[in-house]
Amino acid sequence: MNQDVHSEPQRTLSSVLMAASLRADQWRHLNASARAWADARPDAAAKHRARCQEQLDEVLRIEHCWAYPGERLLGALREALDQGDAASFARYAQKISAAILSGDYRRDEQVWSLDDELDRTTLDALPPDIGGLADKPYFEVLVVTPSDPAQWARSKDEMRRMRRPEDQFHYAAVHAGSFEDAALAMMVNTDLQAVVLIDGFGFASRHDVPDLKAFIARHIHVDPDELRPGTLALTLAATIKGYRPELDLYLLSDRAPEALAGSDEAAPLRRVFHHVEEPMEIHLSILDGIKDRYETPYFDNLKKYALRPIGTFHALPIARGKSIFGSNWIRDMGHFYGTNILFAESSATTGGLDSLLEPTGNIKKAQEAVARAFGAKRAYLGTNGTSTSNKIVVQAVCKPGDIVIVDRNCHKSHHYGFVLSGAQPYYVEAFPLTQYSMYGAVPLRTIKQALIDCAAAGNLSRVKVIDMTNCTFDGHMYNPRRVMEECLAIKPDLIFLWDEAWFGFARFNPLHRRRTAMGAAAALTQRYRSRAYREEYDAWKAKLGDRDPADASLIDERGLPDPDKVRIRVYQTNSTHKSMSAFRQGSMMLVWDEDFHQVEGPFEEAFFAHTSTSPNLQLIASLDLARRQMELEGYALTLKMTDLALKIRRAVNTHPLISKYFTVATPEDMIPAEYRESGLTDYGPPNASWAESAEAWDLDEFALDPTRLTLICGAAGFDGTQFKGLLAERFDIQINKTSRNSVLVQTNINNTHSDAALLIKALADLSREIESRLSQEGSIGHQVFADRVKSLMTDVPDLPNFSRFHDAFREDPNSASNEGHMRPAFFMAYDEDNCEYVKLASDEVDKRLRDGPDMVSANFVIPYPPGFPIMVPGQVITADTIAFMRKLDVKEIHGYHAAQGIKLIKPSTLGSRRATSM
Ligand SMILES: *Cc1c(COP(=O)(O)O)cnc(C)c1O
């Protein structure tokens, strides 16, 4: 394999994503060069030394962002170089690079010292009995200070001396002398968990690195000329919070801390100290901050519970393993699952286990921690998957008769939610990607048109919810800020449900966060409260006057909501198990609703209606743990998964052999140009610099999540299902979704470079096989292959749009808006007398399409893939739906049995129904 994912080190820090891998590469190279110098013949030594010098200079450009190796070891390294001492240089380079690559600096005191024996200075700095470091989680603290860099080593030693054996964590400090240096460290150092800001530092970096300054400016938008004097520390605090909200921030100031602490500007700070404060107090505060995130209230208690001797007389025989380890026949169950899971089982809600249905103790605390971590006002844990979370939210916010403008491609849980709640769906269509047999996302114009149509029909007051999937299975990310803003301009109290089943991780990465529901809720709340917005709105209003929501020209207008009327009402659901470390079915519901008092009661009802009275304790615990992980290492993990995805994209699409048969769809392939205003075609050079990609994410209507890779396999002659099977059987690679000519590969927080290499290797092997097979075949073989590729790639079926509800289910058959009563149609099908069947292949179908009467679906018909309903109850079946079904080559079609045919509501039944009854 000549082009694996490790290929060619990136020489420049073009993107924050690359910082970690760039650093590891740099140290690896430096180590190799140092060894070469040490082993070199005398006449070649100068050349090797020069190479080392060059590489060390490169390393030192950003090395000040990390605590390890720190000034002392770096100083020794530099001194060895200056003195031409190749042996010492090689020894230090080896030591440092090994510690960085292995992560040993986190647990081994030895690697911090100059000599292999702990040196005197280090020993002096350590209390005698600090021991047990290997077991304590390690992190780094950024100290931003005006003090002389010559003092920093001493300050670090002082901080180390603060360590106590009873501390739960240990940390090392890294110093920065300016706003710019601090911002850079905050972005690239994923070990950081806390920042101590000491008032009085300046803006500009003391390092002369113009490209790094440009890099910082690109990621954070602070204009040094705009800064008011004396506000630098608070501006930095706000900047850090915007970028990495999970970090704890402390301010040391000699201004009156009491006055400062109460101000709005101090909101991002965890604590404000007076300059001369006791250092121990700061040390303890730092540890306390980590503890808040580390604590998993439910899991911690469950562990305690499992250890207690308890006699159980409740209804759960496996609790504490008694029915298992005493059994003659199922003891292997205990051996397989281990004892802990059985000791941690209980049906009690006593013993501090709390109740998911009425949380007052540690589940309540766990939910509060989730809300904090995910940037929501409230959070609810779900143990029945997002399938149920969606039904809960839909039922909580909708009552019979409410209209929901909804992407027809939403997961089926939404559609069932409408049946349950009696809400009327107004189906809107995503843009089609016919060439891959999939849909994209719903254009903003389509959503606005639906609102305008409802207004024209006099129904705007009934439109309650906009319900969309963000991001879609295939990676289409909405611009939720823009969608909500323009919709709220038409109706200021709309509720938004963003199904972020795949996208829960996105909160923890500043790149993805800008496209999340909660990120948008926070941004819009802040925007509408600002004076600047009011001025913007007033000017807009003065120009346009009062707008009629039914005015068709609204569609082309970038509307602004009235700041006095607008309400931020946003709900997000996520399948925590899909992108974070939770057990299957672990799900979360996040709420940012300024009018939640109206919803709280119904929400509770819906939660009761759908939640088991025996929720699984391990699921709840795993949600608690998933939150802990993301709050402490989500930044590192999500950067890494994104970086890995970009590398796979590049490796596949630039590989001379693989790219003949396989490609990963680019943003240009997946998003029509009209929704990519930036013109971005693909990530990374030569197509777009990182800055341009980030800007596209800010502005474009849709952006493609790079971690979701649509791998086109049709050009290799495989259909999606076939290729999925092949990857699983031959290469042990599991993927999840397929289309006619593609499979979806996703990178996740668990993926490594080796996983990526495995995939690339599989694609290379398969490409070679195809090549060799074709080379041995004659023209007939080539023709067969070409026909197969054509059938997969070109002869693709058109995707059927939602047609309409039958008039029997419409309040006003003449209105432009298309909502309908799905619930009565759904329940009509319960009575077989109301229904009839037609065979898909029969002439009867064609005759009825031609001559009527209308065929009206009695139920949901959902083929997998693509997994969205091509028919819903009460929908009139049209020719394109039939054509699509006839071409469909998948086996699993929920709601359709080939032997019986399509289930329809009889025309006579429809005739006798009065549309307005529910
Ligand atoms: C998977 C998924 C769901 C359902 O979530 P589960 O946790 O599997 O129940 C809902 N919506 C979307 C968009 C999904 O991808």
Side-chain angles (χ1 to χ4, degrees):
M1 197 169 39
N2 58 2
Q3 214 190 6
D4 69 6
V5 287
H6 304 290
S7 63
E8 107 192 43
Q10 295 287 336
R11 304 297 300 171
T12 56
L13 182 67
S14 63
S15 130
V16 65
L17 294 171
M18 283 170 190
S21 54
L22 170 71
R23 183 183 187 217
D25 283 340
Q26 284 181 337
W27 277 104
R28 208 180 284 121
H29 290 295
L30 182 63
N31 185 28
S33 303
R35 219 168 32 223
W37 179 26
D39 295 344
R41 289 196 322 268
D43 59 332
K47 191 183 85 208
H48 285 287
R49 180 179 168 178
R51 153 110 40 92
C52 289
Q53 175 81 58
E54 202 179 294
Q55 290 182 350
L56 181 61
D57 287 346
E58 197 59 39
V59 164
L60 292 178
R61 280 159 42 87
I62 54 169
E63 205 47 53
H64 53 86
C65 294
W66 287 273
Y68 184 82
E71 290 87 355
R72 201 173 278 135
L73 273 168
L74 287 177
L77 191 65
R78 202 171 355 202
E79 195 179 307
L81 184 77
D82 291 346
Q83 300 193 339
D85 178 354
S88 299
F89 188 79
R91 190 161 49 82
Y92 287 128
Q94 153 69 23
K95 177 177 184 140
I96 297 170
S97 71
I100 289 175
L101 297 179
S102 64
D104 277 349
Y105 62 91
R106 300 167 154 270
R107 38 192 174 258
D108 185 358
E109 202 64 32
Q110 202 76 47
V111 305
W112 290 78
S113 66
L114 282 180
D115 298 312
D116 287 335
E117 288 308 310
L118 282 183
D119 57 275
R120 206 57 255 162
T121 2
T122 314
L123 270 183
D124 283 349
L126 290 179
D129 55 354
I130 170 74
L133 285 190
D135 304 325
K136 295 184 184 185
Y138 164 90
F139 63 95
E140 295 184 2
V141 175
L142 177 65
V143 180
V144 194
T145 171
S147 67
D148 179 355
Q151 312 260 318
W152 291 355
R154 224 185 66 213
S155 151
K156 281 184 174 53
D157 289 343
E158 268 167 25
M159 287 178 81
R160 283 168 93 85
R161 262 196 295 278
M162 226 74 74
R163 290 171 171 184
R164 307 164 313 153
E166 59 270 37
D167 292 344
Q168 208 181 344
F169 319 100
H170 71 116
Y171 64 85
V174 52
H175 287 67
S178 67
F179 186 104
E180 282 184 330
D181 289 328
L184 183 65
M186 175 272 292
M187 285 186 268
V188 302
N189 183 343
T190 56
D191 281 331
L192 284 187
Q193 297 293 355
V195 183
V196 178
L197 305 163
I198 302 173
D199 232 354
F201 54 84
F203 183 83
S205 170
R206 72 194 164 97
H207 302 279
D208 181 23
V209 278
D211 60 325
L212 290 186
K213 283 176 188 264
F215 171 81
I216 296 163
R218 228 180 284 141
H219 283 269
I220 58 163
H221 307 285
V222 172
D223 180 353
D225 298 330
E226 297 273 290
L227 287 172
R228 279 175 294 135
T231 59
L232 206 50
L234 290 171
T235 308
L236 180 57
T239 304
I240 295 175
K241 263 300 177 215
Y243 206 81
R244 293 185 62 182
E246 73 279 11
L247 297 182
D248 294 323
L249 308 183
Y250 302 92
L251 176 65
L252 264 71
S253 173
D254 43 19
R255 287 182 282 162
E258 303 80 9
L260 186 62
S263 73
D264 272 355
E265 290 172 308
L269 302 169
R270 189 176 162 93
R271 273 192 70 175
V272 180
F273 292 104
H274 196 245
H275 223 149
V276 293
E277 202 97 29
E278 180 62 12
M280 188 46 121
E281 192 62 18
I282 298 170
H283 170 77
L284 293 176
S285 296
I286 289 172
L287 293 180
D288 201 48
I290 308 302
K291 185 158 152 278
D292 274 358
R293 280 179 274 157
Y294 187 82
E295 247 172 15
T296 31
Y298 189 78
F299 175 66
D300 297 345
N301 187 65
L302 192 62
K303 279 194 295 186
K304 260 191 247 151
Y305 175 88
L307 292 175
R308 283 175 17 203
I310 291 174
T312 60
F313 287 97
H314 54 64
L316 190 72
I318 68 158
R320 320 200 74 78
K322 282 187 196 161
S323 70
I324 294 165
F325 292 108
S327 162
N328 286 324
W329 295 97
I330 63 162
R331 228 171 298 158
D332 57 333
M333 177 179 177
H335 294 145
F336 182 74
Y337 287 109
T339 48
N340 279 345
I341 199 168
L342 302 169
F343 275 77
E345 277 289 345
S346 171
S347 71
T349 51
T350 53
L353 286 177
D354 207 4
S355 157
L356 183 65
L357 294 160
E358 184 97 45
T360 53
N362 46 53
I363 293 183
K364 185 161 181 275
K365 278 199 202 134
Q367 290 183 333
E368 285 161 4
V370 166
R372 172 190 69 208
F374 286 81
K377 293 291 181 201
R378 280 164 185 268
Y380 294 86
L381 304 181
T383 58
N384 302 59
T386 298
S387 304
T388 295
S389 299
N390 285 333
K391 288 177 205 150
I392 291 174
V393 176
V394 167
Q395 202 171 328
V397 297
C398 294
K399 59 183 188 316
D402 287 346
I403 295 173
V404 180
I405 295 173
V406 56
D407 179 358
R408 203 237 330 194
N409 301 299
C410 273
H411 186 263
K412 62 183 185 178
S413 48
H414 299 261
H415 310 275
Y416 280 103
F418 307 141
V419 170
L420 291 166
S421 64
Q424 295 182 47
Y426 182 136
Y427 284 115
V428 286
E429 295 290 344
F431 62 80
L433 287 164
T434 313
Q435 69 275 31
Y436 307 133
S437 275
M438 60 174 76
Y439 278 96
V442 183
L444 178 52
R445 282 177 74 90
T446 306
I447 301 173
K448 284 171 66 178
Q449 189 63 54
L451 285 168
I452 295 167
D453 288 348
C454 287
N459 283 337
L460 190 60
S461 62
R462 279 170 50 214
V463 180
K464 193 76 175 284
V465 183
I466 310 276
D467 184 359
M468 300 287 146
T469 305
N470 183 48
C471 72
T472 66
F473 215 146
D474 303 295
H476 296 97
M477 300 182 293
Y478 282 84
N479 189 335
R481 247 181 300 177
R482 179 157 162 210
V483 172
M484 296 202 280
E485 175 147 314
E486 293 202 30
C487 291
L488 290 167
I490 300 176
K491 187 168 193 277
D493 62 350
L494 282 169
I495 294 174
F496 295 85
L497 167 54
W498 296 99
D499 178 344
E500 296 188 349
W502 293 105
F503 210 44
F505 73 92
R507 162 77 185 171
F508 299 92
N509 175 324
L511 304 167
H512 285 90
R513 189 186 310 123
R514 62 189 85 206
R515 293 243 166 202
T516 62
M518 288 302 133
L524 291 182
T525 303
Q526 193 179 19
R527 173 166 156 81
Y528 298 147
R529 283 195 191 137
S530 71
R531 188 180 325 191
Y533 179 76
R534 190 167 287 275
E535 284 164 12
E536 188 184 341
Y537 175 78
D538 287 344
W540 178 79
K541 179 98 191 260
K543 204 165 83 200
L544 294 171
D546 276 332
R547 306 294 276 139
D548 173 1
D551 184 340
S553 72
L554 285 183
I555 193 90
D556 292 315
E557 199 172 281
R558 188 108 188 207
L560 295 176
D562 182 342
D564 291 325
K565 296 205 181 115
V566 71
R567 311 298 293 162
I568 302 296
R569 311 195 63 184
V570 187
Y571 291 75
Q572 186 255 34
T573 53
N574 78 78
S575 292
T576 319
H577 66 98
K578 284 181 180 167
S579 73
M580 292 166 269
S581 302
F583 287 126
R584 205 161 151 83
Q585 290 190 19
S587 173
M588 292 170 180
M589 287 153 270
L590 307 179
V591 182
W592 184 309
D593 183 352
E594 292 176 342
D595 292 324
F596 192 70
H597 58 275
Q598 297 170 13
V599 178
E600 190 158 15
F603 195 97
E604 198 174 77
E605 289 296 344
F607 196 86
F608 289 160
H610 292 286
T611 301
S612 165
T613 46
S614 313
N616 185 306
L617 312 188
Q618 319 317 324
L619 278 180
I620 303 171
S622 78
L623 288 167
D624 207 8
L625 286 160
R627 188 273 310 151
R628 179 211 287 177
Q629 175 175 41
M630 294 314 278
E631 239 183 336
L632 287 159
E633 54 184 354
Y635 182 70
L637 295 171
T638 54
L639 285 185
K640 185 170 141 213
M641 73 189 256
T642 310
D643 182 37
L644 206 55
L646 292 171
K647 285 184 169 138
I648 296 174
R649 286 176 172 274
R650 186 143 172 260
V652 171
N653 288 353
T654 61
H655 193 290
L657 178 60
I658 295 178
S659 61
K660 275 170 81 174
Y661 302 104
F662 301 95
T663 47
V664 180
T666 61
E668 185 177 26
D669 298 328
M670 297 289 284
I671 302 171
E674 58 190 302
Y675 310 120
R676 275 183 293 110
E677 293 89 333
S678 67
L680 179 92
T681 54
D682 197 1
Y683 298 118
N687 303 292
S689 70
W690 187 255
E692 286 160 345
S693 305
E695 191 178 286
W697 281 36
D698 268 338
L699 300 177
D700 286 356
E701 179 164 353
F702 298 114
L704 185 71
D705 177 359
T707 71
R708 308 193 70 80
L709 301 99
T710 297
L711 179 64
I712 316 289
C713 53
F718 301 115
D719 69 52
T721 315
Q722 191 185 12
F723 188 56
K724 173 179 170 170
L726 190 68
L727 285 179
E729 276 155 41
R730 276 192 51 196
F731 300 98
D732 291 323
I733 295 173
Q734 285 186 3
I735 49 116
N736 162 334
K737 191 214 164 196
T738 61
S739 83
R740 182 177 176 87
N741 50 25
S742 73
V743 298
L744 181 77
V745 175
Q746 60 181 104
T747 60
N748 230 320
I749 60 167
N750 61 327
N751 286 118
T752 62
H753 281 283
S754 309
D755 298 334
L758 182 66
L759 176 69
I760 308 285
K761 173 91 166 62
L763 298 179
D765 286 356
L766 288 169
S767 304
R768 266 190 297 272
E769 281 170 27
I770 297 168
E771 249 346 50
S772 111
R773 203 178 64 227
L774 287 175
S775 74
Q776 287 163 29
E777 282 183 8
S779 61
I780 297 182
H782 281 263
Q783 193 54 49
V784 170
F785 183 74
D787 289 347
R788 169 82 177 147
V789 170
K790 177 165 178 295
S791 127
L792 290 170
M793 299 295 287
T794 319
D795 303 337
V796 287
D798 276 335
L799 296 166
N801 277 351
F802 177 77
S803 51
R804 62 189 167 87
F805 283 106
H806 188 266
D807 287 351
F809 305 106
R810 307 250 299 131
E811 258 158 62
D812 175 6
N814 297 318
S815 96
S817 65
N818 87 9
E819 78 281 359
H821 292 287
M822 191 158 69
R823 181 183 163 92
F826 180 88
F827 285 108
M828 271 183 189
Y830 276 36
D831 185 348
E832 284 294 328
D833 290 346
N834 289 334
C835 300
E836 60 182 357
Y837 293 87
V838 291
K839 291 266 173 55
L840 183 58
S842 67
D843 295 338
E844 162 82 5
V845 167
D846 298 284
K847 188 169 158 299
R848 288 207 31 194
L849 283 175
R850 203 174 48 239
D851 307 329
D854 280 343
M855 292 186 288
V856 175
S857 183
N859 54 6
F860 289 108
V861 175
I862 307 177
Y864 279 77
F868 62 83
I870 56 173
M871 300 177 200
V872 307
Q875 178 183 347
V876 176
I877 300 173
T878 50
D880 48 349
T881 306
I882 295 295
F884 182 80
M885 278 201 76
R886 283 177 174 168
K887 273 200 189 179
L888 206 62
D889 44 11
V890 301
K891 296 201 185 58
E892 195 176 337
I893 306 178
H894 298 182
Y896 170 72
H897 306 284
Q900 283 181 308
I902 306 169
K903 188 172 183 180
L904 304 176
I905 303 176
K906 282 183 189 160
S908 54
T909 309
L910 294 168
S912 59
R913 186 189 132 76
R914 286 266 48 83
T916 43
S917 66
M918 293 190 294

